[in-house]
């Protein structure tokens, strides 16, 4: 599954504001003095940009994505230290993990299946920083009587196949923590919600449109009316979309 460069650009400021700063700093420290970082589903390279000020200039990024256009943008914006890998993320056995000191992913884990997650973690023996995993919570102001139905149907849609098998969706963060702990990792986690309000109308409109479409696909009869009502006054809307960041460290790793 791939997202448009326009949507990724719209959401990047909200993502950066939402990321838990403590976990970002700890992830950068765990990458070591000579970081080689594998970024799964890199998109346009937002994770590399978010961590850039915390890492030494000689950091090597291994950027992995299945979209050649996004991968090209990521490489251009990350710099000469970027290595690109155009590949299907389902081929976990082919991930370029040799020499890697940190694995990262952003807004990915809620899209993958449990077998995919278990297979990935089985291959990891280095720290893993996963940010912005959707947790199933959202709230809107002003409220609408159908907000809860929209949320429920959107969350149902989040469990459908996104290219990796039935997706973990809102259960992803909790299940990832469990699998990591079972595999011998120590895990820290923190809330990283989007807080969207005035000045972010373009992103709010795209978000509302996407949520309404997913809810409609899942069978919400009120989705079109909800979208039409929300789109009339995006400048008056504020919302919270819940996410979780986590950082996992192999037990015994300094």
């Amino acid at each position: 599954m791939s997202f448009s460069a326009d949507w990724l650009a719209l959401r990047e400021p909200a993502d950066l504001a939402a990321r838990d700063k403590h976990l970002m700093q700890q992830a950068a420290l765990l990458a070591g003095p000579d970081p080689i970082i594998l970024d799964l589903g890199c998109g346009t390279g937002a994770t590399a940009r978010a961590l850039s000020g915390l890492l030494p200039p000689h950091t090597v990024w291994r950027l992995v994505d299945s979209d050649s256009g996004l991968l090209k943008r990521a490489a251009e914006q990350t710099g000469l230290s970027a290595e690109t890998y155009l590949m299907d993320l389902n081929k976990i056995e082919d991930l370029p993990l040799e020499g890697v000191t940190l694995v990262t992913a952003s807004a990915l884990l809620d899209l993958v299946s449990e077998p995919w997650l278990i297979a990935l973690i089985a291959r990891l023996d280095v720290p893993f920083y996963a940010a912005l995993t959707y947790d199933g919570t959202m709230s809107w102001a002003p409220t609408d009587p159908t907000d809860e139905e929209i949320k429920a149907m959107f969350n149902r849609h989040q469990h459908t196949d996104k290219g990796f098998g039935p997706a973990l969706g809102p259960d992803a963060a909790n299940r990832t923590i469990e699998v990591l702990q079972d595999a011998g990792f120590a895990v820290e986690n923190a809330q990283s919600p989007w807080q969207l309000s005035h000045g972010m109308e373009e992103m709010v409109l795209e978000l509302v449109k996407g949520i309404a479409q997913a809810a409609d696909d899942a069978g919400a009869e009120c989705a079109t009316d909800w979208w039409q009502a929300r789109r009339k006054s995006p400048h008056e809307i504020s919302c919270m979309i819940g996410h979780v960041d986590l950082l996992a460290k192999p037990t015994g790793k300094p």
Side-chain angles (χ1 to χ4, degrees), residues 66-79:
S66 61
D67 186 309
S68 59
L70 296 182
L71 197 60
K72 181 180 179 181
R73 289 195 183 202
E76 291 171 350
Q77 296 180 31
T78 304

Side-chain angles (χ1 to χ4, degrees), residues 187-208:
V187 187
E188 288 186 77
N189 68 91
Q191 298 297 310
S192 54
W194 279 346
Q195 301 284 358
L196 309 180
S197 57
H198 306 298
M200 307 184 79
E201 289 83 2
E202 189 176 0
M203 180 179 175
V204 167
L205 273 177
E206 286 299 313
L207 178 65
V208 168

